[in-house]
Amino acid sequence: MKMNKKFILGMAIALLAIVGYAVINEFVMHRPSYRTMSLEPDRGLILDCNGNVLVANETVYDIHVDFMVVDDDTLFRLKSRELADEIVHFLPNRSADEWYIFFQENRKKGMRYVKLVNNVPLGLKESICSLPLLRDGKWKGGCIVSAQHIRQYPYGVLARRTLGYHKAYGSIGIDGKYHDLLAGTPGSVTVARVKRFGRLHTWEKERVEAVNGENITLTIDIGMQAKADSAYRQYIANLQDFQGGCLVIMEISTGAIKAMVNLDKDADGNITERFNYAIAMCYYPGAVLSPFIPWTKGSSEKYRSLFLPDSLDFDIDGLSASYVPDFPFDMSGGNNGPCVMVSPLSILSAYNTVMNNGTMLKPHLIIRPDGRQILGDQLFSAQDAEAIKPAIRQAMGYSRKKQDNVGQGYEYYRTYAGYYPHDTPQYTYIMLTCTGKGNMYL
């Protein structure tokens, strides 16, 4: 009896030792592996002054498969057959049998990251990920889903050059200049994964949530933008050899830009927004600056003070510097106007300064808490402003320059500028049109 107790006790101790060794071996030999993945923030929206979304986000998805997650070959064959029979309804580029062969071949090769489909919307992603095998998730079914965020423009090409984009190869417009503000801060999640006693265990070890980007509200009124775009397209519809141009509307009391249309013709003859004529074009504007001649009296310094300073940090990169030659001032240049080269936005700013009785306001596209911003000292007196106002009610100027890329011919520029309504002025505007040879009178 004593012998039996000792035997049983010995066996129990031996069994415990074996089990203990197996447990310790599992935990020592099969240590968790860790993987840290990025959590992408939502990019900020760009809104117009009334809260309409001008630039939105759309999330599309790439779906890949790890064919080595399922250990049992028989189980994999059964589930992959079911998957092949159903996935053909969503991805008909292969037949069901072709999908099945595709799955088996990739498993034989030991493939762990094979593309099923890229850039699918949320609804299709959810449908595919609910199919057999894939619905078991990443760690049990091998379904690997990654999100890609792309920008959408609900109003099509309206203000597209102003809104811009941020790409790896370059950035323009609001979306480009304020990338850091819109982008937000990525987060991360660390996942532990270990296989013990024939079962796969996963858990989150650490998570840092992403911080979404901030929204930006513009001074643009998309209703005014649409009307300005339509009006400018109607104007250029009958022009021969139209090359490009712009139409900009500014609120007199604040310097807020309510519409900025930039159109040009591409190689296929399509009219679209590609180049920002409003800020980047530097040209001889002609007689639209003639109303300022009595005030400047040919002074280079007075003309320089009339235009936006070269150091101005405008809300879009690319504002052209003004060119004003030193005295003696050539009054014959630019075809019936002073010999200066300036951007349409600088001309518009000068007109707006007159309408504000000599106070120059900073043109802006982004609504900020500090509201309007005054640039420098009072430019000229209210009396001088009143003397200029009748001449800028609706001004027109034209000019031309020799084309650089052809042996002969000219580029012609026609500029209209003024303010409206005439009785109770609220806005100043400028419209520039560039055409080729034979369009001196537009």
Side-chain angles (χ1 to χ4, degrees), residues 106-407:
N106 279 284
R107 182 172 173 83
K108 289 178 181 178
K109 295 176 183 177
M111 303 300 288
R112 307 203 70 121
Y113 193 73
V114 178
K115 184 188 81 171
L116 279 188
V117 64
N118 285 345
N119 299 326
V120 295
L122 177 61
L124 182 55
K125 185 268 291 187
E126 291 183 341
S127 296
I128 293 173
C129 292
S130 66
L131 299 178
L133 185 63
L134 302 182
R135 61 172 166 248
D136 294 335
K138 180 177 181 179
W139 305 113
K140 296 181 180 180
C143 182
I144 304 170
V145 178
S146 57
Q148 309 291 331
H149 304 290
I150 61 175
R151 292 299 240 177
Q152 291 290 340
Y153 302 86
Y155 294 93
V157 299
L158 288 180
R160 179 68 65 85
R161 185 57 180 77
T162 302
L163 298 174
Y165 55 77
H166 173 76
K167 303 286 187 183
Y169 55 80
S171 300
I172 62 172
I174 296 293
D175 213 358
K177 182 165 183 175
Y178 295 93
H179 165 68
D180 291 343
L181 182 67
L182 291 161
T185 305
S188 62
V189 58
T190 300
V191 176
R193 183 172 183 246
V194 65
K195 188 173 184 180
R196 287 178 179 153
F197 305 108
R199 296 184 63 184
L200 185 65
H201 303 269
T202 61
W203 67 95
E204 281 189 14
K205 185 176 183 293
E206 185 178 6
R207 174 182 284 263
V208 177
E209 295 295 344
V211 179
N212 292 334
E214 295 186 29
N215 296 339
I216 292 179
T217 301
L218 303 185
T219 58
I220 295 288
D221 182 321
I222 197 60
M224 293 181 67
Q225 180 76 27
K227 291 178 180 179
D229 185 275
S230 176
Y232 190 57
R233 287 176 184 272
Q234 289 179 25
Y235 173 73
I236 66 175
N238 297 321
L239 294 182
Q240 299 177 4
D241 200 16
F242 169 76
Q243 294 179 352
C246 64
L247 172 58
V248 187
I249 300 172
M250 181 185 294
E251 189 174 58
I252 293 172
S253 61
T254 64
I257 295 172
K258 308 305 291 183
M260 181 178 279
V261 179
N262 290 283
L263 298 178
D264 68 342
K265 185 181 293 185
D266 64 19
D268 297 324
N270 301 313
I271 304 299
T272 186
E273 288 222 4
R274 298 184 304 170
F275 179 75
N276 198 319
Y277 286 85
I279 68 170
M281 187 72 178
C282 190
Y283 74 113
Y284 294 108
V288 290
L289 292 180
S290 294
F292 297 97
I293 291 177
W295 174 74
T296 62
K297 298 178 181 178
S299 166
S300 299
E301 289 304 317
K302 281 196 171 184
Y303 265 107
R304 291 190 182 102
S305 68
L306 185 62
F307 305 128
L308 294 172
D310 294 346
S311 60
L312 179 70
D313 182 21
F314 186 55
D315 290 332
I316 297 177
D317 290 334
L319 179 62
S320 289
S322 302
Y323 169 72
V324 179
D326 293 330
F327 189 84
F329 204 76
D330 182 2
M331 300 301 294
S332 64
N335 300 59
N336 302 316
C339 184
V340 301
M341 294 184 69
V342 67
S343 69
L345 185 63
S346 270
I347 301 170
L348 182 59
S349 174
Y351 272 55
N352 214 62
T353 300
V354 173
M355 300 309 297
N356 278 296
N357 296 318
T359 299
M360 180 180 285
L361 301 180
K362 180 181 180 180
H364 58 281
L365 282 162
I366 296 178
I367 294 178
R368 295 182 173 88
D370 53 359
R372 75 178 199 166
Q373 182 179 343
I374 297 175
L375 297 177
D377 300 325
Q378 187 81 5
L379 188 59
F380 39 76
S381 67
Q383 183 178 356
D384 288 333
E386 289 300 324
I388 299 173
K389 283 179 183 179
I392 68 167
R393 176 175 175 173
Q394 186 172 348
M396 182 271 291
Y398 71 87
S399 62
R400 69 180 185 177
K401 77 168 186 175
K402 193 80 171 179
Q403 295 192 38
D404 298 327
N405 58 341
V406 294

Side-chain angles (χ1 to χ4, degrees), residues 77 79-104:
R77 283 195 295 271
K79 289 197 171 186
S80 62
R81 179 72 258 181
E82 293 175 357
L83 174 60
D85 290 340
E86 294 194 31
I87 200 171
V88 69
H89 301 298
F90 301 97
L91 302 177
N93 54 310
R94 290 185 176 95
S95 67
D97 288 339
E98 288 172 336
W99 274 116
Y100 180 71
I101 293 171
F102 174 78
F103 298 149
Q104 300 306 312

